[in-house]
Amino acid sequence: MTDREDTGANTPADPGPVWVRRWRSVHLGWLAAVFGICTVMVGLLVVAVPVIARTGAGGLLTLLWLAFFVLLPLGMAVPMSGIGAARLSRFVRRVDVAGVGAGLSVPGRGDFVARAGLLAFASVVGLSYFVFRDDGPDPRQEMAGLLTAIGAPACLAWFVLGFVVVNRTSVSLHPEGVVQQIYRRRGWKVSNDVTIVRWSDIADLRLEEHPNPAVPHRGDLPVIRVPRRSSETDEPEVVIMACEKKVEPNSLLALLLVCRDNPWAREQLDHDDARELLRPPSLLERIRADRAASTSGERNAVQ
């Protein structure tokens, strides 16, 4: 990790925020892991036809279980390591908030990976049952029956629970300030809490990191705290989990900095092309920045 860098003095002649590298946004080790695992999966698919021809549907299920246990942890860990923010998300768009007006949405990742993993697990369990149910007394038959009896109801209950109990936090940037909406659903009871922090009331942007438990290497997840200058207010502090947003964390930080320090920059947030303010540099440029920062850190450690 590097210390916070100076964004420079922006002027209306150069309205775009200056990208800063505060957090590692691309992990080269994960890029190599993704390439290697994708290569292995392609190889498995290439040899799937002769395997199925020799072993029947059992060979296909073996490949499916292998793909499930390999791709699910990778799909959950890699996006949180920065690869998921390789480009500007199409979900970043203009949004209108009641009482505040138009602004720029900063959407969250949601639970797509968890739901996709649940669907994949249920599909593999169902296929296992239909393939092995006529085998007679066999360990595979017992395992398929156990997974179907326990896994199917559990998957169904978890899937339904995802719609009954909902906690969704959305953040949007407006000319007036930073707006955080927390949507909660508990069955038929729904609440929507809105917190607004005016740009003039922002004391500072406190940058924090906390370890990512999903990866074995040191991977710190970026968090941006937005404290208020006025301590008398009862409004809660806005905490932006940059690691869970569909934007590159350093691009979000750069935009927050330039809008906090420059009133003219805030006026761009309600424009139709405001989403371009969150466009990060190309993936190759960020890889070069990460390598340069790592090399510089190693040299400083040696000295």
Side-chain angles (χ1 to χ4, degrees), residues 51-131:
V51 168
I52 295 175
R54 294 180 180 179
T55 62
L60 176 60
L61 282 176
T62 301
L63 292 177
L64 290 177
W65 279 110
L66 177 62
F68 174 78
F69 284 113
V70 169
L71 294 181
L72 182 62
L74 186 68
M76 297 181 66
V78 169
M80 301 188 76
S81 296
I83 298 178
R87 58 185 179 181
L88 180 62
S89 172
R90 62 185 178 88
F91 294 100
V92 177
R93 56 172 66 98
R94 196 169 181 265
V95 64
D96 287 320
V97 178
V100 182
L104 181 65
S105 68
V106 183
R109 296 186 185 276
D111 53 358
F112 172 77
V113 174
R115 291 183 184 276
L118 184 65
L119 179 61
F121 179 76
S123 301
V124 173
V125 167
L127 288 175
S128 298
Y129 174 74
F130 284 107
V131 169

Side-chain angles (χ1 to χ4, degrees), residues 21 96 148 193 198 237 249 254 258 276:
R21 184 196 178 277
D96 287 320
T148 304
D193 299 329
R198 308 290 177 181
E237 181 184 54
V258 72
E276 295 298 324

